Amino acid sequence: PHQSLTVVKALLKAKADPNIASEVKDTALTLAAERHSVAIMSELLAAGADVNAANAAADTAMHLACSPLQGAGNKQNCKEAWQPQAASV
């Protein structure tokens, strides 16, 4: 994990676009959120990553970061859980 953070910081310092998406519309932020990498998510958000970008499955970083909190795919509960964390990032 520490090595990934170092790479992300170096790429962002070199002016990499934090909103580039894969074929399935995953961004660095959605991938970091899916892996619960808070430090990487913080770096990406500070660099202007779009918190509302959704992947091909229509999941945003918020949905993916909260995935363990969801019951039966309830994304509304996830939104409520995300708010305090989003404010502190």
Side-chain angles (χ1 to χ4, degrees):
H2 173 69
Q3 193 173 24
S4 296
L5 179 59
T6 302
V7 171
V8 168
K9 285 182 176 185
L11 288 168
L12 293 173
K13 186 175 180 179
K15 305 294 183 205
D17 181 354
N19 293 306
I20 297 250
S22 71
E23 274 186 22
V24 292
K25 298 184 179 181
D26 274 316
T27 63
L29 184 60
T30 58
L31 293 172
E34 185 175 44
R35 290 163 179 79
H36 306 280
S37 299
V38 176
I40 292 176
M41 290 181 354
S42 294
E43 290 292 326
L44 293 165
L45 289 169
D50 181 3
V51 73
N52 296 309
N55 63 18
D59 288 320
T60 65
M62 174 186 70
H63 299 136
L64 295 166
C66 296
S67 60
L69 303 174
Q70 293 184 46
N74 187 344
K75 293 178 183 178
Q76 187 61 35
N77 289 341
C78 182
K79 183 176 180 181
E80 293 168 10
W82 172 267
Q83 294 305 322
Q85 287 82 8
S88 67
V89 172

